[in-house]
Amino acid sequence: MRVVVKIGTSTLTHATGRINIRRVESLCRVLSDLKNAGNEIILVSSGAIGMGVGKLMLSNKPEDIPTKQAAAAVGQCELMYVYDNEFAKYNHNVAQILITGNDVENPQNLLNFQNTVNRLLEFGVLPVINENDSVSTDEIAIGDNDALGAIVASHVGAQRLIILSDIDGLYDKNPSVYPDAKLIKEVSEITPEITLMAGGKGTSLGTGGMVTKLHAAQIAMDAGVEMIIANGRNPEVLYDISEGKQVGTLFKRK
Ligand code: GLU
């Protein structure tokens, strides 16, 4: 199965922006194992800005574009260094691809991107994709990696997009405010009622929230890709998903 796994900053790093070593080790071990079982995995990883913030010892996520872009440039190196080391333990090669909105809108760039991903997968390499934040401006930015994950999944012929987040899935109301909030297990259409369930807020270092995830779900579903939001706290949840167990919220393909 060809699967895109999107992992958010809050899953990869502590609130300080420094890497969550236990989490990342577990994630890379599970993904390596799923590759060993014959799955084609593409990772869409956030964390560049967050790790840059940690490495540059900034007190919080920068607001201005040049500092954000500088943090992304520093953090992207760190991110790939970590992935390269972790996947090397299991004899898997990683490759970095950084894209912007321009690249998916320009047919030639899109074709180049697709060809590269396909060839990497033929080589058994694990592509790690992020937005090229250091050159992105508002006009060309995809903006959040939930959408990036869905765009990638829809253009590389993936059957499934898994969004690993710091929440179990979509709730009927905000679970951090309402203890009786219920997890929605399956969504077959993004109705106005479903949209109302999504609050707006993400975490301090990441970009996404439930709204960006619903937007991603719409892109994925329209492209015939199923999407699952699951909690990345324990990356072994990826085994359950691959075994067809009910986990998090499933957005069914059309
Ligand atoms: N591309 C951003 C980063 O690597 C993340 C965007 C997002 O969190 O959605 O920091």
Side-chain angles (χ1 to χ4, degrees):
M1 192 170 202
R2 189 171 281 197
V3 182
V4 173
V5 178
K6 183 264 168 176
I7 178 137
T9 304
S10 59
T11 303
L12 286 173
T13 65
H14 294 286
T16 54
R18 305 306 293 241
I19 181 173
N20 185 327
I21 295 173
R22 184 170 45 176
R23 182 82 52 70
V24 171
E25 282 179 354
S26 164
L27 174 77
C28 296
R29 185 172 46 78
V30 173
L31 288 175
S32 296
D33 205 13
L34 291 173
K35 267 177 76 56
N36 288 351
N39 296 287
E40 291 181 323
I41 311 277
I42 297 160
L43 194 55
V44 170
S45 179
S46 301
I49 297 176
M51 282 195 192
V53 167
K55 234 184 161 189
L56 293 170
M57 295 200 252
L58 307 178
S59 49
N60 41 35
K61 188 177 171 182
E63 293 293 329
D64 68 295
I65 307 276
T67 314
K68 257 191 212 171
Q69 293 182 318
V74 171
Q76 184 64 32
C77 276
E78 171 81 352
L79 196 58
M80 288 312 297
Y81 176 77
V82 168
Y83 283 134
D84 203 15
N85 277 323
E86 283 307 313
F87 284 107
K89 289 184 188 165
Y90 308 101
N91 277 322
H92 288 297
N93 290 324
V94 295
Q96 168 185 276
I97 308 180
L98 300 178
I99 60 172
T100 66
N102 268 355
D103 298 315
V104 279
E105 269 154 34
N106 176 311
Q108 186 59 54
N109 289 17
L110 180 60
L111 184 64
N112 292 341
F113 168 73
Q114 290 167 317
N115 288 342
T116 304
V117 169
N118 284 329
R119 187 53 50 87
L120 287 169
L121 292 173
E122 277 164 36
F123 282 147
V125 172
L126 186 137
V128 182
I129 301 173
N130 196 357
E131 178 138 25
N132 195 350
D133 294 315
S134 297
V135 302
S136 283
T137 52
D138 275 355
E139 299 77 56
I140 60 163
I142 294 166
D144 69 83
N145 276 9
D146 295 322
L148 178 65
I151 289 168
V152 167
S154 61
H155 287 298
V156 301
Q159 284 96 47
R160 179 181 285 160
L161 165 65
I162 301 171
I163 300 224
L164 289 183
S165 183
D166 54 2
I167 189 162
D168 290 346
L170 174 68
Y171 283 85
D172 61 350
K173 46 193 170 193
N174 187 341
S176 54
V177 180
Y178 303 98
D180 63 335
K182 285 192 190 56
L183 182 71
I184 311 285
K185 294 191 173 155
E186 222 175 82
V187 174
S188 10
E189 200 190 338
I190 316 268
T191 58
E193 197 195 351
I194 294 285
T195 308
L196 267 182
M197 292 175 184
K201 275 221 279 159
T203 58
S204 57
L205 286 173
T207 305
M210 204 42 77
V211 174
T212 59
K213 287 173 184 54
L214 288 191
H215 175 223
Q218 190 68 69
I219 298 171
M221 290 161 94
D222 286 348
V225 180
E226 73 175 24
M227 184 180 116
I228 295 167
I229 302 175
N231 202 319
R233 189 178 42 223
N234 178 9
E236 301 223 347
V237 75
L238 292 168
Y239 286 128
D240 294 338
I241 294 172
S242 113
E243 287 160 14
K245 295 187 186 147
Q246 200 285 316
V247 172
T249 303
L250 166 68
F251 295 83
K252 292 170 85 172
R253 70 170 69 91
K254 280 192 181 158

